């Protein structure tokens, strides 16, 4: 029996500190939404679709904590600290949020087309629909 050759993994691209600073500065100059979203993604290590799960009730700006919702594992069991830059960006963004008629008013990043990118049960747990029944992943 012959062994298959190992697949070579591609190296993941990593942003250097100058690039990261440039992106954060550009987001801050663009709009409060862009600034808050980039800070949220970067400082919380979230996937692109996860900020849409964050509710206002999950964020405690006074204590600087957030209950993060992740698609794979649901809600974190403990509040996670918010960085100072993320907290300040959220303080600028949250009061300025504007809503379309169909937008989600209780979300940090409301959407005209409500709902996460993936089907979930409202707590961030991915729901897989099979032919016979629906089950949580």
């Amino acid at each position: 029996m012959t062994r298959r050759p190992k697949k070579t993994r591609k190296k993941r691209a990593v942003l250097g500190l100058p690039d990261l600073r440039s992106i954060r500065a550009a987001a801050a100059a663009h709009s409060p939404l862009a600034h808050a979203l980039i800070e949220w993604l970067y400082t919380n290590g979230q996937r692109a679709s996860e900020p849409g799960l964050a509710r206002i009730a999950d964020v405690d700006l006074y204590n600087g904590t957030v209950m993060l919702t992740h698609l794979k594992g649901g809600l974190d069991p403990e509040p996670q600290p918010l960085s100072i830059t993320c907290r300040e960006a959220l303080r600028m963004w949250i009061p300025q949020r504007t809503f379309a008629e169909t937008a989600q008013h209780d979300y940090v990043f409301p959407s005209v087309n409500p709902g996460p990118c993936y089907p979930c049960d409202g707590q961030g747990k991915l729901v897989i629909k099979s032919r016979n029944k629906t089950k949580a992943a």
Side-chain angles (χ1 to χ4, degrees):
M1 183 173 179
T2 59
R3 286 187 170 182
R4 291 184 190 178
K6 285 187 177 182
K7 291 183 181 179
T8 57
R9 284 189 170 185
K10 292 180 183 178
K11 286 190 174 184
R12 293 181 186 222
V14 178
L15 288 175
L17 197 52
D19 292 332
L20 179 60
R21 285 184 180 142
S22 175
I23 290 169
R24 289 169 94 179
H30 185 270
S31 69
L33 169 60
H35 186 209
L37 189 56
I38 290 295
E39 291 298 332
W40 183 274
L41 288 167
Y42 175 69
T43 61
N44 294 322
Q46 294 216 302
R47 295 172 187 87
S49 56
E50 289 173 337
L53 301 171
R55 296 178 186 263
I56 293 292
D58 298 334
V59 179
D60 182 351
L61 292 176
Y62 181 77
N63 290 315
T65 60
V66 62
M67 293 294 287
L68 294 174
T69 305
H70 298 281
L71 289 172
K72 288 188 176 182
L75 211 61
D76 272 343
E78 298 290 328
Q80 302 300 312
L82 280 172
S83 71
I84 292 171
T85 54
C86 186
R87 196 180 329 176
E88 291 306 315
L90 289 172
R91 278 195 180 121
M92 296 294 290
W93 163 241
I94 289 173
Q96 294 184 14
R97 293 176 308 146
T98 55
F99 303 100
E101 210 172 288
T102 59
Q104 306 160 306
H105 294 269
D106 59 335
Y107 285 79
V108 176
F109 301 102
S111 173
V112 176
N113 302 314
C117 295
Y118 301 102
C120 81
D121 64 1
Q123 296 298 314
K125 292 182 181 176
L126 187 61
V127 175
I128 299 170
K129 292 184 179 183
S130 68
R131 291 182 187 159
N132 301 332
K133 57 184 176 181
T134 300
K135 63 178 183 176

